[in-house]
Amino acid sequence: MSAVSKVMYKPLALAASVGGGILAGAVFGQVWKRVAGEPELPDPKDLSRTDREVFIAAAVQGTIFGLVRAAVDRAGARGYRKLAHADPR
């Protein structure tokens, strides 16, 4: 990747990452509402919640964030390759 390409790709990748994080949070919020029937994620410091509930919520949240991040990064790389005719690596 040339120096110009790197300069162009970095801000685009950063903006896509921020957008992906916001999207992942929204997706997780909807999934949690439907699966648990609760509007909010259990707080790990709330000792009235069970360990199982807190750990399952964290695992689901991590999985969703990982999947959304990979999808956003992948789409950004493909879009960049179409525009710049170069891989963003």
Side-chain angles (χ1 to χ4, degrees):
M1 179 189 281
S2 71
V4 173
S5 294
K6 283 183 183 179
V7 169
M8 288 174 39
Y9 184 70
K10 293 289 182 180
L12 294 174
L14 180 62
S17 293
V18 170
I22 292 168
L23 176 63
V27 169
F28 175 69
Q30 291 301 312
V31 168
W32 186 253
K33 282 180 190 177
R34 288 194 172 99
V35 170
E38 298 176 9
E40 292 184 15
L41 174 68
D43 184 358
K45 293 176 261 174
D46 181 0
L47 298 179
S48 67
R49 306 302 279 265
T50 66
D51 288 348
R52 182 173 188 246
E53 186 178 24
V54 170
F55 296 151
I56 288 172
V60 171
Q61 184 179 31
T63 300
I64 289 171
F65 270 84
L67 287 171
V68 170
R69 179 176 177 203
V72 167
D73 286 350
R74 194 81 171 154
R78 285 186 175 153
Y80 181 80
R81 184 173 60 187
K82 282 184 181 183
L83 291 174
H85 304 293
D87 285 347
R89 294 188 276 152

